Amino acid sequence: MSTAAPTAADPLDLPTIDDVRAAAGRIREAAHRTPVLTSRLVDAEVGAQVFVKAENLQRSGSFKFRGAFHTLSRLPDAQRAAGVVAFSSGNHAQAVALAASILHVPATIVMPTDAPAAKLAATRGYGAEVVAYDRYTEDREAIATRLSRDRGLTLVPPYDHPDVIAGQGTAVLELLEDTGPLDALFVCLGGGGLLSGSLLSAQALAPDCAVYGVEPRAGDDGLQSLRAGRIVRIETPRTLADGAATPYLGTRTFPIIRDLVTDIVTVDDDELVTAMRMFASRMKIVTEPTGCLAFAGMRAAVAADPQRFAGARIGVTISGGNIDLDRFAALVG
């Protein structure tokens, strides 16, 4: 695997809240405005009002559709005709494949050999070509970059792109429009696309809201990066949260997170499974482990400092619900 450090992004290339609002208009007819769920049981447990943005009910099963459709919709006709390439463990793969199908763009997706079968099947079902790789021995970005060069395809990164970030930020834009200002917000963190876009929306609509990123404890590169003040790269983590098994933050996502996030919380796999059970039993929805990061992080933060969150209005993102049913049953059963 390549260990080359990411290069610095041009600060002029960073998206703004105006880009998020423009993205909301561009995707409005294609993306679902997902519901905000509540539970009296959850509120009683944490001693606060909790508002859950259910992006597991988004098209393609995750928030990733927002950024993928926004990015592809902005491509010039020549680039659309030539096609796109993306790399992903599953949710970005499905999102790009579906967006490409809607917009009639050929799509090639680089996916790990151990990606969930449901995600592989859905990506192929949307019409994309899948190129497999070993996530522990091969560099997915290098493979996608080579395909982009050799085939003349436009590379659509899973998170480190201004149009992707702006598209992902529309989820929390909607959440805050529906709930009004919040006191705290917990957002899943992998490569940082959702968190950085959410921070732009929160800063504009709820500037007093404390925003926390939540990542798997086995893959705490975001926390390490925040503490170090620079992007820290780690080995590809082994975690149930396959969608957040990223070894480093993006050169565009990191500066937004560094400047605007309140803190980053980490949780272990057992906490994700507990959250999956709660969502299934109490809210009657299917979530994947990665999708439960924010909720598990919220519960951990409240348990660590209950007075800090007592009576607060707390927003939580569910990032996705793409999981094989046999796997889901094995984890929550």
Side-chain angles (χ1 to χ4, degrees), residues 207-222:
D208 295 327
C209 178
V211 182
Y212 301 85
V214 187
E215 61 186 349
R217 190 159 293 137
D220 66 345
D221 59 291

Side-chain angles (χ1 to χ4, degrees), residues 87-89 110 112 133 138-145 158-159 245-247:
F87 52 90
S88 165
S89 64
V110 179
Y133 79 101
E138 297 181 279
D139 187 329
R140 64 181 188 170
E141 188 168 356
I143 295 170
T145 299
Y159 50 85
T246 49

Side-chain angles (χ1 to χ4, degrees), residues 143-234:
I143 295 170
T145 299
R146 183 172 66 250
L147 288 169
S148 173
R149 181 184 64 245
D150 294 347
R151 299 186 186 182
L153 307 175
T154 297
L155 179 62
V156 183
Y159 50 85
D160 202 27
H161 188 287
D163 289 339
V164 171
I165 295 169
Q168 316 307 28
T170 62
V172 164
L173 188 74
E174 291 176 4
L175 172 65
L176 290 168
E177 287 173 348
D178 289 346
T179 65
L182 298 171
D183 299 305
L185 173 67
F186 291 80
V187 179
C188 310
L189 173 58
L194 180 60
L195 178 56
S196 56
S198 298
L199 285 163
L200 296 176
S201 294
Q203 182 189 43
L205 274 68
D208 295 327
C209 178
V211 182
Y212 301 85
V214 187
E215 61 186 349
R217 190 159 293 137
D220 66 345
D221 59 291
L223 178 61
Q224 290 189 46
S225 298
L226 185 64
R227 298 291 186 264
R230 59 179 176 81
I231 297 174
V232 173
R233 182 167 187 158
I234 63 173

Side-chain angles (χ1 to χ4, degrees), residues 30-211:
H32 296 324
R33 189 179 183 101
T34 53
V36 178
L37 308 179
T38 58
S39 166
R40 287 181 295 176
L41 178 72
V42 172
D43 289 355
E45 176 193 335
V46 302
Q49 288 182 282
V50 180
F51 303 90
V52 180
K53 181 64 168 171
E55 284 294 291
N56 55 317
L57 303 179
Q58 184 55 260
R59 294 187 72 173
S60 80
S62 83
F63 75 93
K64 292 283 191 177
F65 180 75
R66 296 173 180 272
F69 187 88
H70 180 237
T71 302
L72 266 63
S73 71
R74 285 175 50 80
L75 292 178
D77 290 343
Q79 287 179 275
R80 289 199 200 188
V84 298
V85 61
F87 52 90
S88 165
S89 64
N91 284 343
H92 181 62
Q94 291 171 248
V96 171
L98 176 56
S101 175
I102 294 170
L103 295 168
H104 308 292
V105 176
T108 301
I109 313 294
V110 179
M111 297 184 70
T113 54
D114 63 348
K119 295 182 179 183
L120 284 164
T123 301
R124 292 191 174 105
Y126 292 135
E129 174 192 355
V130 172
V131 175
Y133 79 101
D134 186 322
R135 75 164 83 223
Y136 300 110
T137 62
E138 297 181 279
D139 187 329
R140 64 181 188 170
E141 188 168 356
I143 295 170
T145 299
R146 183 172 66 250
L147 288 169
S148 173
R149 181 184 64 245
D150 294 347
R151 299 186 186 182
L153 307 175
T154 297
L155 179 62
V156 183
Y159 50 85
D160 202 27
H161 188 287
D163 289 339
V164 171
I165 295 169
Q168 316 307 28
T170 62
V172 164
L173 188 74
E174 291 176 4
L175 172 65
L176 290 168
E177 287 173 348
D178 289 346
T179 65
L182 298 171
D183 299 305
L185 173 67
F186 291 80
V187 179
C188 310
L189 173 58
L194 180 60
L195 178 56
S196 56
S198 298
L199 285 163
L200 296 176
S201 294
Q203 182 189 43
L205 274 68
D208 295 327
C209 178
V211 182

